[in-house]
Amino acid sequence: MGQEKVRISTQTLEWKCVESRADSKRLYYGRFILSPLIKGQADTIGIAMRRALLGEIEGTCITRAKSDKIPHEYSTLVGVQESVHEILMNLKEIVLKSNLYGTCNASICVRGPRYITAEDIISPPYVEIVDNTQHIVTLTESIDLCIGLQIERNRGYLIKTTNDFQDGSYPIDAVFMPVRNANYSIHSYGNANAKQEILFLEIWTNGSLTPKEALHEASRNLIDLFIPFLHTEEEIFYFEDNRHIAPLTPFTFHDNLAKLKKKQKALQSIFIDQSELSPKIYNCLKKSNIYTLLDLLNNSQEDLMKIKHFRIEYLKQVLSILEKDFLMDLPKN
């Protein structure tokens, strides 16, 4: 645990981490301050940040389990100490971290008798288990147990319904939120004519990211939500053939990148998930089957803007990041 004294600056707006600790593999805590703020600003920032921390950050969970030996959720299996329902509840408690976009598959294939933990899960290399000691099931006899798992990255909650039971697989309630709790408090100081405020922000996470990383991610997501308001004066909306159309802001995206197409072989070996693209931009590109830099360069500005939810600010971010990755990752020759 690290802790330091709080020193208030009355000149510039500054933030600082004043306390940080890891209570366990699945519980991190951080305390931050932001100051000096004008009266009322601490509430504005505190409310927005708390909602962004709890609702705008994506996490990774196991959302479905399947086994040929399971007749129904509330059954018991010979040679298995736990009920099927208890096994599903144990799978729900497993904390994962990944750069996954969408869903992927994992599995557990073991032979008893033995004690099975999260360490026995066979998952893709881009999915990391935060706590390998998490208990799943205990086999009391010499039997084989194979469970197929579906892993998903999303945000918020995913509550199973009766319609989710399909193909002999069982849905698992998922809490994707990596931030377990977030609170803020305000300290006021100064006289009545020049009152200032300090915002104290407390963050608890599940170990898949640190409180500081959660604060950065929530801030980026808040910025993404407000960016469209900065461009309202540049765009004129009109209707044509019952379609909503917005003319594009002039931007030399394709012209600046045309020369890079000469390096097609190298570009084809560089995947866009190797860059620093935000999850929102990556999701848009992936849904349009754009996986490599070459795929990206084979699309014009107009092509990219036809992608659902793809905005002009995304276009500008893609350009700067692509140029940076090109210079950094491609061989010099």
Side-chain angles (χ1 to χ4, degrees):
M1 180 182 78
Q3 192 166 4
E4 60 185 84
K5 294 181 179 179
V6 177
R7 186 177 63 183
I8 303 303
S9 170
T10 58
Q11 301 299 320
T12 58
L13 191 63
E14 296 180 348
W15 76 276
K16 184 183 295 185
C17 177
V18 294
E19 187 175 353
S20 176
R21 67 173 185 262
D23 294 331
S24 68
K25 288 184 178 180
R26 290 182 287 164
L27 183 59
Y28 288 13
Y29 171 79
R31 188 165 180 253
F32 308 87
I33 64 168
L34 180 66
S35 68
L37 297 165
I38 301 172
K39 185 178 180 181
Q41 288 182 338
D43 246 332
T44 301
I45 299 173
I47 293 172
M49 283 304 303
R50 185 175 186 276
R51 292 184 66 89
L53 285 163
L54 293 174
E56 296 296 328
I57 302 179
E58 292 186 341
T60 306
C61 290
I62 298 173
T63 57
R64 190 171 290 274
K66 181 178 181 179
S67 176
D68 296 335
K69 293 186 177 182
I70 301 178
H72 58 81
E73 182 180 359
Y74 296 98
S75 62
T76 57
L77 304 176
V78 177
V80 179
Q81 181 173 304
E82 293 83 1
S83 68
V84 174
H85 179 72
E86 289 174 324
I87 296 173
L88 295 177
M89 290 301 98
N90 291 337
L91 290 172
K92 176 183 176 181
E93 294 299 318
I94 294 174
V95 177
L96 305 172
K97 62 184 299 184
S98 74
N99 57 1
L100 170 71
Y101 295 93
T103 62
C104 70
N105 295 322
S107 63
I108 302 172
C109 290
V110 292
R111 182 172 180 82
R114 60 169 297 184
Y115 185 82
I116 301 171
T117 66
E119 189 175 12
D120 296 298
I121 296 176
I122 303 171
S123 61
Y126 47 81
V127 177
E128 178 184 343
I129 300 171
V130 172
D131 184 5
N132 285 328
T133 64
Q134 170 65 39
H135 172 62
I136 298 176
V137 61
T138 302
L139 301 183
T140 58
E141 298 181 12
S142 180
I143 62 171
D144 293 320
L145 179 66
C146 289
I147 303 176
L149 304 174
Q150 176 180 285
I151 296 174
E152 182 177 345
R153 182 178 173 88
N154 211 321
R155 65 179 187 176
Y157 299 90
L158 181 63
I159 307 301
K160 64 183 179 183
T161 65
T162 55
N163 297 329
D164 289 335
F165 295 85
Q166 56 187 7
D167 301 328
S169 64
Y170 298 88
I172 300 173
D173 290 339
V175 181
F176 294 105
M177 301 182 303
V179 176
R180 291 300 186 223
N181 194 15
N183 289 327
Y184 76 93
S185 58
I186 301 170
H187 172 71
S188 300
Y189 65 97
N191 55 47
N193 296 327
K195 203 152 195 170
Q196 293 184 316
E197 297 178 337
I198 307 172
L199 173 66
F200 289 83
L201 189 63
E202 294 180 288
I203 303 172
W204 291 262
T205 70
N206 65 0
S208 62
L209 76 175
T210 65
K212 184 176 180 181
E213 290 170 338
L215 187 61
H216 288 175
E217 183 68 21
S219 300
R220 284 195 296 266
N221 290 341
L222 272 179
I223 292 171
D224 286 344
L225 289 174
F226 286 111
I227 279 178
F229 294 108
L230 301 178
H231 301 284
T232 52
E233 294 181 358
E234 301 175 11
E235 299 174 353
I236 303 173
F237 294 89
Y238 58 91
F239 290 90
E240 178 181 274
D241 298 331
N242 295 323
R243 291 182 301 165
H244 194 211
I245 301 174
L248 300 177
T249 304
F251 192 65
T252 57
F253 175 83
H254 198 63
D255 293 340
N256 289 347
L257 297 176
K259 62 181 72 175
L260 302 182
K261 287 188 176 181
K262 299 176 182 178
K263 303 287 185 179
Q264 289 195 3
K265 186 174 181 181
L267 292 171
Q268 194 169 11
S269 66
I270 300 178
F271 292 85
I272 58 175
D273 59 0
Q274 296 174 249
S275 65
E276 298 176 357
L277 292 173
S278 70
K280 292 181 179 179
I281 298 176
Y282 183 86
N283 273 331
C284 288
L285 297 176
K286 183 181 175 183
K287 289 176 182 177
S288 297
N289 296 318
I290 298 175
Y291 298 98
T292 68
L293 297 190
L294 182 61
D295 295 336
L296 188 58
L297 297 179
N298 285 333
N299 287 270
S300 67
Q301 174 183 354
E302 291 74 19
D303 294 332
L304 294 179
M305 292 306 299
K306 291 176 183 177
I307 299 175
K308 188 176 181 181
H309 303 310
F310 202 88
R311 301 199 293 261
I312 188 67
E313 58 269 15
Y314 292 178
L315 204 59
K316 297 179 181 179
Q317 292 179 42
V318 167
L319 173 62
S320 61
I321 292 175
L322 183 58
E323 290 177 334
K324 174 185 173 184
D325 286 349
F326 178 84
L327 294 175
M328 181 175 61
D329 294 336
L330 286 182
K332 292 183 179 180
N333 60 353

